[in-house]
Amino acid sequence: MKSQSGERAGPIELSKVPAVTISFWIIKILCTTLGETGGDTVTMSMKLGYLVGTAIFALVFIVFVSAQIYAKRFHPFLYWMTIITTTTVGTTMADFADRSLGMGYAGGSSTLLVLLLASLGLWYWTQGSVSVDTVNTPKVEMFYWVTIMFSQTLGTALGDWTADSEKIGYGGGVIVFSVLLIIVAACYFWTKISRTLLFWSAFILTRPLGAVIGDSLDKPRSEGGLNLSRYVASGVLIVLILACILIFPQKAGRHPQRAAG
């Protein structure tokens, strides 16, 4: 049997991440939106600040990533909880860099882009692939989660930069990133562009989309938001995520192993 790259493959093994389906992207966008409202709840509503918020969520992130790596197989609730921790720590980390450290949106986004590319580059250099189909060993999982954490942080900075600095507002930001995702989807269905490249492009773009949706829910109406309570918005998003996990089939991705010879 041959893989998509044309190489001979052996028996199919299950990955420790979910199969990439429409439901995957729906839950991912909900998680990124929760990351925005949840992160802002701790740093702003609870008034703990960006540094303390980042420290709290970084610790939670480490705990869940460790549990995910230690797990022997794919567990839907554990996986999506780990995704949520990457979005919350990404939110507070980006805000800390942009605002507390004074790097600004351009400086913060540029730094995070370099870190993301470095993570992907090191992953590819050591493993020969950055495909999510290969996420079934502790070493690859570590690369996977570090890359996701950087992509979520970059996405937060891009979302804030687009909505605030470019003066297009949250509604405009939703349109911009939705259109970009539609373009990526079109490339998936009608071109032969690398599926791995398209996956990571979509994965990164869902984060700023979630950021601007999250901000549009809880920001004051004078700033273009709906002025909802961050606690309420976060609670509703949690219920929606749980419902999606229970309603939509959650299956592990499949990883074709290369055959010897």
Side-chain angles (χ1 to χ4, degrees), residues 108-121:
S109 297
S110 299
T111 301
L112 290 165
L113 177 60
V114 170
L115 291 172
L116 173 61
L117 293 176
S119 177
L120 286 167

Side-chain angles (χ1 to χ4, degrees), residues 143-197:
F143 280 119
Y144 176 78
W145 288 111
V146 169
T147 300
I148 283 180
M149 189 266 293
F150 283 139
S151 73
Q152 306 281 39
T153 310
L154 172 62
T156 300
L158 289 176
D160 290 343
W161 189 6
T162 302
D164 296 340
S165 298
E166 300 307 316
K167 307 302 181 184
I168 66 173
Y170 303 117
V174 170
I175 293 173
V176 167
F177 292 114
S178 294
V179 169
L180 290 175
L181 281 169
I182 290 172
I183 293 173
V184 172
C187 290
Y188 176 85
F189 287 110
W190 293 306
T191 74
K192 295 183 179 180
I193 296 175
S194 166
R195 296 307 188 242
T196 300
L197 174 61

Side-chain angles (χ1 to χ4, degrees), residues 238-249:
I238 290 172
V239 171
L240 289 174
I241 291 169
L242 291 174
C244 287
I245 294 174
L246 292 172
I247 294 171
F248 296 121

Side-chain angles (χ1 to χ4, degrees), residues 100-132:
S100 297
L101 295 182
M103 297 178 68
Y105 294 131
S109 297
S110 299
T111 301
L112 290 165
L113 177 60
V114 170
L115 291 172
L116 173 61
L117 293 176
S119 177
L120 286 167
L122 184 59
W123 181 0
Y124 185 84
W125 182 64
T126 59
Q127 301 298 311
S129 173
V130 293
S131 171
V132 294

Side-chain angles (χ1 to χ4, degrees), residues 20-146:
V20 181
T21 61
I22 293 297
S23 63
F24 172 90
W25 295 113
I26 292 173
I27 299 173
K28 169 63 166 59
I29 292 172
L30 288 172
C31 287
T32 58
T33 306
L34 175 60
E36 190 71 17
T37 59
D40 288 348
T41 296
V42 171
T43 58
M44 298 180 185
S45 297
M46 294 182 180
K47 300 181 180 180
L48 294 180
Y50 299 126
L51 180 59
V52 173
T54 297
I56 291 172
F57 288 124
L59 179 59
V60 176
F61 167 70
I62 292 171
V63 170
F64 275 93
V65 166
S66 299
Q68 172 70 21
I69 293 175
Y70 179 78
K72 301 300 182 183
R73 60 184 178 83
F74 170 62
H75 296 279
F77 286 101
L78 176 59
Y79 174 84
W80 287 112
M81 187 62 213
T82 309
I83 286 289
I84 291 171
T85 67
T86 67
T87 67
T88 49
V89 74
T91 295
T92 57
M93 190 183 300
D95 288 343
F96 178 70
D98 297 339
R99 299 164 187 174
S100 297
L101 295 182
M103 297 178 68
Y105 294 131
S109 297
S110 299
T111 301
L112 290 165
L113 177 60
V114 170
L115 291 172
L116 173 61
L117 293 176
S119 177
L120 286 167
L122 184 59
W123 181 0
Y124 185 84
W125 182 64
T126 59
Q127 301 298 311
S129 173
V130 293
S131 171
V132 294
D133 291 337
T134 65
V135 182
N136 63 346
T137 66
K139 186 175 183 179
V140 176
E141 277 194 272
M142 184 60 69
F143 280 119
Y144 176 78
W145 288 111
V146 169

